[in-house]
Amino acid sequence: MSIRISFDPAEQQLDVIHGYLTRSYWAESIPLAVVERSVANSFCVGAFDGAAQVGFARLITDRATFAYLADVFVLEDHRGQGIARTMLEALDTHPELQGLRRWALFTRDMQPLYAKLGWEAYPHPDRLMVRDIPDIYTR
């Protein structure tokens, strides 16, 4: 596998990212302008096969205490090669992200992948609150 990992914002391919997210269960129909803004204001990692972007993940973080992991994906033709794990490990070991007290994410179906990387269900659900508007892009 010759996958290259990049944190360079200039390398993130918005057409690929938007193309995947707009058909994902968590961001269906997300407008391109929203993806552009989210990528510009987040700490992003991309996985590349040559010049082609094949994976992506982003963190919303203050780079001091907290990070929210979002929009993790690997294109269908590249799954099963450990690319998601490689991106997540690259985020975990990045020098600018050391010392974070808490990381969070939402996932419908990838708990086994995240569990292998040390993630666990939040032990105090009574302390966690959210404002959730799942149909925001399709209204």
Side-chain angles (χ1 to χ4, degrees), residues 96-124:
E96 290 183 45
L97 303 173
Q98 299 310 296
L100 296 178
R101 192 174 107 225
R102 183 168 289 129
W103 295 60
L105 67 87
F106 290 94
T107 184
R108 181 172 76 183
D109 55 0
M110 295 306 293
Q111 288 84 349
L113 168 72
Y114 293 106
K116 290 177 186 175
L117 298 172
W119 292 76
E120 57 189 39
Y122 190 61
H124 307 288

Side-chain angles (χ1 to χ4, degrees), residues 52-128:
Q53 185 159 11
V54 299
F56 177 78
R58 70 183 182 97
L59 285 179
I60 300 94
T61 183
D62 59 7
R63 299 180 191 192
T65 64
F66 182 79
Y68 168 66
L69 180 63
D71 297 337
V72 180
F73 71 84
V74 174
L75 296 179
E76 291 83 351
D77 291 347
H78 291 81
R79 291 185 183 163
Q81 301 175 41
I83 295 171
R85 181 184 191 102
T86 300
M87 289 189 302
L88 296 173
E89 288 173 346
L91 286 168
D92 189 50
T93 59
H94 195 284
E96 290 183 45
L97 303 173
Q98 299 310 296
L100 296 178
R101 192 174 107 225
R102 183 168 289 129
W103 295 60
L105 67 87
F106 290 94
T107 184
R108 181 172 76 183
D109 55 0
M110 295 306 293
Q111 288 84 349
L113 168 72
Y114 293 106
K116 290 177 186 175
L117 298 172
W119 292 76
E120 57 189 39
Y122 190 61
H124 307 288
D126 54 312
R127 298 180 190 175
L128 181 63

Side-chain angles (χ1 to χ4, degrees), residues 7-65:
F7 294 99
D8 184 350
E11 285 197 81
Q12 306 309 315
Q13 298 171 3
L14 289 174
D15 58 332
V16 173
I17 298 165
H18 178 253
Y20 187 88
L21 292 179
T22 195
R23 58 189 172 85
S24 70
Y25 74 83
W26 66 87
E28 183 179 357
S29 301
I30 189 170
L32 177 59
V34 173
V35 173
E36 289 174 334
R37 199 166 62 241
S38 71
V39 169
N41 291 299
S42 298
F43 191 95
C44 299
V45 61
F48 297 84
D49 184 1
Q53 185 159 11
V54 299
F56 177 78
R58 70 183 182 97
L59 285 179
I60 300 94
T61 183
D62 59 7
R63 299 180 191 192
T65 64

